[in-house]
Amino acid sequence: LFHYVNKVFYIIKYVEFAFMWHLIHQVRVPTWPRPDTYFGVPVLSLPAGFFHTYFLVSFTFVLLNVLMVWFAVPARRREKDQRFSSPISADRWHLLATDPVEVAMAAAAPGSACSGIDDLHGDSSSLPSRRVQLL
């Protein structure tokens, strides 16, 4: 639900952007003699190049937003869903484990090639007992 509400929000923002620039263009290039005030608000007299550059920069950011919201994020979401929905076989699990503690615990799991702390360090006679080590 959030995904669709978010897209509606962005559509409203795109319409708002177009309407805002329509009003700016209407004030900057009126069909009648340009007043000094527009609805009682003084009109700032800046060069047309400023508004043209500002529009292009704003439009560039809107296009980047469109690419992110409508293409990049959904593609990443599909990739993530596919990654988490496919089962991971036991022989590939060690490739995903990056935490050394997780790797050691997976190695010490029953039925694995390594049966515990003694196998990890070799001879258990040189190590203190596990109970003493925990205390």
Side-chain angles (χ1 to χ4, degrees):
L1 180 66
F2 173 76
H3 179 68
Y4 298 109
V5 171
N6 195 30
K7 286 196 175 196
V8 168
F9 169 78
Y10 279 109
I11 289 171
I12 291 170
K13 288 296 172 187
Y14 303 143
V15 170
E16 181 183 83
F17 175 79
F19 183 69
M20 176 187 70
W21 277 104
H22 169 72
L23 291 178
I24 289 173
H25 181 72
Q26 192 176 17
V27 169
R28 291 291 302 160
V29 187
T31 55
W32 61 87
R34 183 172 175 211
D36 291 335
T37 61
Y38 196 71
F39 293 114
V41 178
V43 176
L44 183 60
S45 293
L46 291 172
F50 171 82
F51 286 102
H52 182 70
T53 304
Y54 185 64
F55 171 76
L56 290 177
V57 169
S58 299
F59 192 69
T60 301
F61 281 114
V62 167
L63 287 179
L64 285 173
N65 183 273
V66 167
L67 290 174
M68 295 293 288
V69 169
W70 297 92
F71 298 105
V73 171
R76 296 285 307 238
R77 185 176 290 124
R78 280 190 302 272
E79 181 182 304
K80 180 192 74 154
D81 291 344
Q82 185 181 27
R83 201 172 345 133
F84 285 128
S85 65
S86 65
I88 299 173
S89 62
D91 59 333
R92 286 187 351 160
W93 180 255
H94 71 281
L95 298 173
L96 298 174
T98 56
D99 185 17
V101 175
E102 289 180 21
V103 172
M105 293 196 58
S112 66
C114 180
S115 62
I117 193 166
D118 297 335
D119 289 342
L120 287 175
H121 294 286
D123 183 21
S124 63
S125 62
S126 64
L127 294 173
S129 72
R130 190 174 187 130
R131 183 173 180 207
V132 173
Q133 212 174 17
L134 292 174
L135 297 175

